[in-house]
């Protein structure tokens, strides 16, 4: 039998996600879990602990996997890195514990998990950059500062979309994510909406659409938070593009 040429055996294999990307994906998983609990709590059907236990245990396992990925980087130990691992261990513990509780109590245990996972991603990115300066990825050049901040808010699970009287709207925390920004990010393939997956804006209202990062959006956000803060005076004639708010806070704390 004639073997195929070597070129025919070659194919593009996407690189495995970096630990930072894994944490951003983990934040999205926690957001989906919380949204499912919110919708469950607003139904009239009775629910027991088994309703969400499988999802909670899966989250705990994925969090432990993220911890192993970080440890696999073999970064030099530091207070920041140790605290990041501890926070993730706490998330895994809370997710496991929530699987044995009813939905109302379980929801409180994972309420802050998306924000915590993003915060851990920012800290890990800073620690990795500090030790491996030359390996920092190329920042996403297509993003404006407003779009970068929007991606960070979406990663934290702070952004939903809906419509009323044939007009679309977004709901978010500060910094606000405008509908024009959301549409621009959708056009780039960086975010998407999951229809009717988030709880209603008011009692008796329709479910809202959760805005989530796509795989490309996770990669783009990771490339931004893994870059050092740009100082206005560092490169004459250029405009500095600030990092998402959490990344700036991390940089200022150093």
């Amino acid at each position: 039998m004639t073997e195929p040429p070597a070129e025919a055996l070659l194919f593009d294999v996407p690189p495995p996600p970096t630990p930072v990307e894994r944490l951003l994906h983990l934040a999205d998983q926690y957001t989906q879990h919380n949204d499912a609990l919110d919708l469950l709590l607003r139904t009239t059907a009775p629910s027991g602990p088994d309703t969400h236990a499988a999802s909670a245990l899966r989250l705990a396992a994925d969090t432990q996997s993220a911890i192993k990925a970080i440890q696999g980087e073999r970064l030099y130990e530091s207070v920041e890195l140790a605290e990041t691992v501890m926070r993730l261990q706490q998330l895994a513990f809370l997710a496991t514990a929530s699987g044995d509780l009813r939905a109302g109590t379980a929801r409180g245990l994972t309420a802050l998990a998306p924000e915590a996972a993003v915060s851990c991603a920012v800290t890990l990115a800073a620690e990795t950059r500090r030790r491996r300066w030359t390996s920092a990825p190329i920042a996403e050049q297509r993003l404006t500062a407003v779009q970068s901040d929007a991606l960070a808010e979406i990663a934290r699970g702070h952004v939903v979309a809906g419509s009323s009287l044939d007009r679309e709207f977004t709901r978010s925390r500060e910094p606000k994510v405008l509908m024009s920004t959301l549409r621009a990010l959708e056009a780039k393939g960086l975010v998407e909406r999951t229809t009717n997956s988030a709880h209603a804006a008011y009692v008796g209202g329709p479910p809202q659409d959760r805005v989530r990062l796509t795989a490309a959006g996770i990669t783009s956000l990771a490339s931004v938070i893994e870059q050092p803060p740009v100082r206005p005076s560092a490169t004459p004639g250029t405009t500095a593009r600030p990092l998402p708010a959490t990344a700036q806070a991390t940089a200022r704390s150093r």
Side-chain angles (χ1 to χ4, degrees):
M1 178 182 295
T2 303
E3 294 187 4
E7 299 82 45
L9 300 178
L10 299 177
F11 54 91
D12 292 330
V13 178
T18 66
V20 170
E21 291 171 342
R22 290 178 70 114
L23 291 178
L24 294 177
H25 178 63
L26 185 67
D28 176 64
Q29 290 176 284
Y30 273 107
T31 296
Q32 292 183 70
H33 176 78
N34 289 343
D35 282 341
L37 283 175
D38 285 338
L39 295 179
L40 179 64
L41 289 170
R42 285 161 174 77
T43 63
T44 56
S47 62
D50 292 341
T51 306
H52 59 277
S55 175
L57 293 178
R58 185 164 54 250
L59 279 172
D62 289 342
T63 305
Q64 292 290 358
S65 295
I67 293 173
K68 291 180 180 179
I70 294 172
Q71 293 170 336
E73 291 293 290
R74 299 185 180 278
L75 299 174
Y76 288 109
E77 195 64 45
S78 69
V79 173
E80 292 83 358
L81 187 61
E83 289 180 348
T84 294
V85 171
M86 283 189 288
R87 292 186 72 184
L88 291 171
Q89 289 172 336
Q90 290 171 350
L91 288 185
F93 175 81
L94 291 173
T96 300
S98 71
D100 295 326
L101 303 173
R102 293 193 173 275
T105 307
R107 178 65 174 84
L109 294 187
T110 57
L112 302 179
E115 294 182 60
V118 173
S119 178
C120 288
V122 171
T123 301
L124 177 62
E127 288 300 294
T128 303
R129 181 176 66 243
R130 194 151 63 94
R131 290 163 172 76
R132 303 174 181 175
W133 182 266
T134 57
S135 64
I138 299 175
E140 175 57 73
Q141 299 296 326
R142 297 180 300 164
L143 298 178
T144 66
V146 170
Q147 291 172 344
S148 296
D149 285 341
L151 288 181
E153 287 301 292
I154 292 168
R156 297 184 185 106
H158 290 175
V159 186
V160 295
S163 61
S164 177
L165 301 176
D166 296 326
R167 293 188 62 183
E168 291 186 314
F169 61 85
T170 59
R171 293 185 184 276
S172 61
R173 304 182 189 180
E174 295 292 342
K176 294 293 185 182
V177 177
L178 302 179
M179 178 55 69
S180 58
T181 303
L182 173 58
R183 288 171 176 158
L185 292 173
E186 286 178 323
K188 296 176 184 290
L190 303 180
V191 303
E192 61 187 5
R193 308 182 210 182
T194 303
T195 306
N196 298 332
S197 61
H199 66 82
Y202 54 89
V203 177
Q208 301 179 98
D209 302 340
R210 172 63 61 191
V211 181
R212 301 169 51 205
L213 299 182
T214 63
I218 288 176
T219 300
S220 293
L221 179 56
S223 76
V224 171
I225 66 176
E226 290 181 359
Q227 290 297 311
V230 180
R231 300 182 185 277
S233 60
T235 306
T238 62
T239 301
R241 181 165 64 84
L243 296 181
T246 304
Q248 292 182 24
T250 301
R252 287 195 298 268
S253 67
R254 296 193 175 282

